[in-house]
């Protein structure tokens, strides 16, 4: 059954006892009174500070300390996806995140695709710096056949007399989207099931697994139910709890705006055959971090890192060789030089046939005179969203449909207006929406309706944002490659020469 939820710290009750398959040696495990265990779960904490009075690492630390003070046997599980992407992580490969998490009592962290973003060696370095274990159950070092150096295949935590096993499934697509060249990512469902069985055979009472959504890994894990509890990430579900009387799954959004708390009443009883069986009853709370007192020590350290980042943002990138217009109307009604440069950078970085971005993703709303010395702050101000590049496998018809959607509301200056790379489009705004694309070419050749093209775009548009729903269901060839922000890619491009010369070349010919 689906457990109802009310966000804001209200209790969400599960029902019934759910016997697990965990068995213990009757000679070493005694029947115990019910034990109360609380599992705290947060994930994707890349932001140093709160947003709108919620989230941030200081508030997360405050919640953890509050829960440990008011509950016995609290286990803190971090779902990963935190060592990238962030501006500061581009410089220190996530070391600041580990430092801040070390300041709060984290018990285990999952290593998902973004933990591997900076490569095997960098993740190993972060793992050795961490005061808590980092887990990937299905990642294997190609040279040793064992987990990558510094990582654990599984961790067993003590909660009073209970043993709780913790696993983590790293998405298979991690090998395509990161620099983890020395790591093999095995089938996550098979790996989780095998390790969970081994833990139970060793007397572990409860098995919890964490996983992410890349490549729909979470769906495969949820379908297989290899653990008693699965904590997962789903970009389309900021919060959900499902419980069928035996298996519980739950998800919560990133940045610790809300922290998931699962309160368990666990019993261990000896059966007639002398074997110990475990049963448990769950109750779920959603903790609104707006009501939490930020941890003072973590707050000071996070602000120190933010100040360091501020210094980095003021670093110079390159000089404009011509005037630049990033005002709203210029970006949402026709071809724009800055948008051209962004689309070109995205296409080259991802080795795609064509690129498409939306004008609404550029937010600086400024006029820059020629000779302006751009800083990192300027570029991040123009591209403020945490968008990363993806590559989609689209047909010519799907590409045409996307561009038609993009030019369907030019009169309202909507942010969906498309900007292209390695493509030429002729748009007639005198025609009705849906019939405005007169011609389209990629690489100088007319687009063939049934042909396939590698389309580079932002993660936002690839998920169907801004009216691009036709892209949401198409196959992804590359997802979150290197997980670098599009803004970071552009900064690197400009810095290579020290000059920035965005230009108009007629790729979007709009007539009215």
């Amino acid at each position: 059954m689906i457990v109802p939820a009310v966000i804001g710290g209200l209790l969400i009750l599960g029902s019934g006892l759910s016997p697990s398959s965990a068995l213990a040696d009757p000679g070493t495990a005694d029947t115990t009174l019910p034990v109360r265990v609380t599992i705290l779960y947060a994930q994707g904490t890349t932001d140093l500070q709160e947003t709108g009075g919620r989230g941030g690492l200081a508030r997360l630390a405050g919640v953890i300390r509050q829960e440990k003070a008011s509950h016995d046997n609290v286990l803190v599980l971090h779902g990963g996806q935190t060592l990238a992407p962030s501006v500061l992580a581009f410089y220190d490969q996530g070391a600041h995140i580990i430092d801040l998490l070390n300041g709060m009592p984290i018990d285990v962290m999952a290593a998902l695709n973004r933990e591997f973003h900076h490569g095997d060696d960098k993740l190993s370095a972060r793992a050795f710096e961490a005061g808590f274990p980092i887990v990937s159950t299905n990642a294997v070092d190609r040279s040793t056949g064992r987990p990558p150096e510094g990582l654990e295949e599984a961790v067993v935590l003590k909660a009073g007399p209970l043993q709780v096993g913790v696993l983590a499934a790293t998405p298979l697509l991690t090998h395509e989207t990161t620099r983890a060249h020395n790591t093999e990512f095995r089938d996550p469902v098979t790996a989780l099931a095998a390790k969970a069985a081994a833990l139970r055979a060793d007397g572990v009472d409860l098995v919890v697994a964490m996983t992410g959504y890349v490549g729909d890994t979470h769906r495969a894990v949820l379908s297989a139910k290899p653990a008693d509890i699965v904590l997962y990430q789903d970009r389309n579900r900021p919060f959900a709890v499902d419980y069928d009387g035996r298996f519980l799954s739950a998800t919560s959004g990133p940045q610790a705006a809300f922290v998931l708390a699962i309160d368990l009443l666990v019993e261990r009883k000896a059966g007639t055959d002398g074997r110990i069986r475990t049963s448990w009853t769950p109750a779920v709370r959603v903790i609104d971090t707006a009501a939490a007192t930020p941890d003072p020590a973590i707050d000071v350290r996070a602000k120190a890192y933010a100040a360091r980042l501020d210094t980095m943002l003021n670093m110079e990138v390159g000089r404009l060789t011509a005037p630049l217009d990033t005002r709203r109307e210029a970006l949402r009604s026709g071809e724009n030089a800055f948008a051209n440069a962004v689309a070109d950078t995205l296409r080259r970085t991802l080795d795609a046939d064509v690129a498409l971005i939306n004008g609404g993703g550029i937010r600086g709303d400024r006029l820059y005179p020629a000779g302006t010395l751009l800083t990192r702050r300027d570029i991040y101000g123009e591209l403020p969203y945490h968008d990363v590049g993806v590559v989609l496998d689209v047909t010519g018809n799907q590409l045409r449909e996307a561009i038609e959607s993009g030019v369907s509301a030019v009169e309202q200056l909507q942010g969906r207006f498309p900007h292209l790379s390695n493509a030429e489009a002729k748009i007639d705004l005198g025609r009705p929406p849906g019939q405005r694309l007169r011609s389209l070419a990629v690489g100088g050749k007319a687009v063939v309706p049934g042909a396939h093209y590698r389309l580079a775009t932002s993660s936002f548009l690839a998920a169907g944002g801004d009216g691009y729903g036709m892209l949401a269901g198409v196959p992804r060839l590359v997802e979150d490659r290197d997980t670098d922000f599009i803004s970071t890619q552009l900064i690197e491009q400009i810095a290579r020469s020290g000059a920035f010369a965005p230009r108009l070349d007629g790729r979007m010919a709009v007539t009215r």
Side-chain angles (χ1 to χ4, degrees):
M1 80 178 169
I2 296 177
V3 181
V6 179
I7 289 181
L10 298 182
L11 192 64
I12 307 166
L13 293 176
S15 64
L17 287 174
S18 54
S20 77
S21 58
L23 302 177
D25 181 352
T28 59
D30 298 325
T31 301
T32 65
L33 294 173
V35 179
R36 297 187 182 276
V37 180
T38 295
I39 297 174
L40 292 182
Y41 173 73
Q43 58 92 8
T45 54
T46 55
D47 290 351
L48 289 172
Q49 295 180 288
E50 64 188 51
T51 300
R54 285 189 173 92
L57 293 170
R59 287 188 181 273
L60 173 60
V63 166
I64 293 172
R65 297 192 187 283
Q66 171 186 301
E67 289 290 307
K68 283 187 171 287
S70 58
H71 295 80
D72 294 327
N73 302 316
V74 175
L75 304 179
V76 183
L77 308 186
H78 194 297
Q81 297 295 67
T82 191
L83 299 186
S86 70
V87 178
L88 190 52
F90 177 76
Y91 298 100
D92 73 0
Q93 294 80 51
H96 69 287
I97 293 292
I98 296 297
D99 178 47
L100 291 167
L101 292 180
N102 278 341
M104 56 187 90
I106 301 292
D107 289 299
V108 182
M109 189 176 92
L112 301 190
N113 53 299
R114 288 178 177 173
E115 275 59 60
F116 284 92
H117 161 59
H118 303 289
D120 318 88
D121 292 341
K122 295 298 183 183
L123 176 55
S124 292
R126 300 292 84 80
F128 286 120
E129 293 163 1
F132 47 86
I134 298 178
V135 175
S136 175
T137 307
N138 63 312
V140 176
D141 187 306
R142 296 181 189 278
S143 62
T144 66
R146 300 176 59 81
E149 192 172 9
L151 270 61
E152 302 289 343
E153 183 182 12
V155 170
V156 177
L157 303 176
K158 294 288 290 183
L162 302 176
Q163 297 186 81
V164 179
V166 182
L167 313 176
T170 308
L172 284 176
L173 284 180
T174 302
H175 78 279
E176 296 181 6
T177 63
T178 70
R179 303 179 178 96
H181 305 303
N182 299 322
T183 303
E184 175 188 352
F185 299 96
R186 296 177 175 174
D187 178 72
V189 170
T190 302
L192 289 181
K195 193 60 184 179
L199 291 177
R200 287 168 176 146
D202 287 340
V204 167
D205 299 289
L206 193 72
V207 179
V208 181
M210 295 183 283
T211 193
Y213 63 79
V214 172
D216 282 341
T217 302
H218 64 305
R219 299 186 191 281
V221 172
L222 291 176
S223 178
K225 301 180 181 179
D228 299 296
I229 297 173
V230 170
L231 304 173
Y232 65 100
Q233 299 153 18
D234 187 335
R235 59 188 168 194
N236 298 315
R237 302 178 79 186
F239 174 77
V241 178
D242 296 280
Y243 176 60
D244 63 7
R246 295 178 61 88
F247 170 73
L248 186 146
S249 63
T251 182
S252 63
Q255 308 306 348
F258 299 93
V259 176
L260 195 66
I262 304 174
D263 297 316
L264 302 172
L265 185 65
V266 185
E267 295 183 276
R268 301 164 73 229
K269 295 182 179 180
T272 56
D273 58 359
R275 304 171 77 191
I276 300 297
R277 288 174 170 81
T278 303
S279 62
W280 49 276
T281 304
V284 180
R285 292 175 289 130
V286 182
I287 302 172
D288 186 344
T289 56
T293 300
D295 181 273
I298 298 297
D299 193 36
V300 168
R301 288 159 68 179
K303 286 177 178 176
Y305 278 117
R308 183 184 305 177
L309 177 60
D310 190 63
T311 299
M312 293 177 177
L313 289 177
N314 289 327
M315 294 176 66
E316 298 170 352
V317 177
R319 192 177 298 277
L320 274 174
T321 61
L324 187 64
D325 187 353
T326 64
R327 290 176 298 178
R328 185 171 183 268
E329 183 174 354
L331 285 160
R332 301 183 180 203
S333 60
E335 184 184 353
N336 178 270
F338 183 76
N340 284 354
V342 175
D344 288 345
T345 297
L346 185 62
R347 180 181 60 82
R348 284 193 293 265
T349 301
L350 295 177
D351 189 26
D353 301 317
V354 57
L356 184 155
I357 64 168
N358 62 318
I362 301 170
R363 311 293 288 193
D365 200 24
R366 291 177 58 184
L367 279 172
Y368 299 84
T372 298
L373 190 57
L374 297 174
T375 64
R376 286 183 169 90
R377 187 183 303 278
D378 292 324
I379 303 301
Y380 289 129
E382 294 292 346
L383 298 167
Y385 299 117
H386 290 184
D387 283 336
V388 293
V390 301
V391 177
L392 305 179
D393 178 11
V394 300
T395 64
N397 276 333
Q398 289 168 329
L399 182 59
R400 290 185 65 93
E401 183 183 357
I403 296 172
E404 282 283 14
S405 176
V407 298
S408 64
V410 179
E411 294 82 357
Q412 290 79 42
L413 294 180
Q414 290 191 8
R416 68 176 64 185
F417 188 89
H419 296 279
L420 306 172
S421 174
N422 195 39
E424 302 82 38
K426 296 185 184 299
I427 310 297
D428 185 353
L429 298 183
R431 295 183 176 186
Q435 303 176 32
R436 292 178 164 180
L437 180 58
R438 294 174 53 198
S439 66
L440 177 65
V442 169
K445 298 180 180 179
V447 166
V448 177
H452 286 256
Y453 300 87
R454 290 172 56 90
L455 172 67
T457 190
S458 69
S459 51
F460 174 64
L461 297 188
D466 228 351
Y468 286 86
M470 73 293 297
L471 299 181
V474 304
R476 295 192 175 203
L477 301 176
V478 176
E479 183 166 5
D480 294 2
R481 165 171 273 181
D482 295 338
T483 60
D484 283 342
F485 295 146
I486 295 173
S487 50
T488 301
Q489 296 174 8
L490 182 62
I491 286 171
E492 289 183 293
Q493 183 72 26
I494 298 171
R496 287 192 185 100
S497 65
F500 187 35
R503 61 190 179 87
L504 301 174
D505 55 18
R507 65 183 72 180
M508 287 290 288
V510 180
T511 57
R512 288 168 170 80

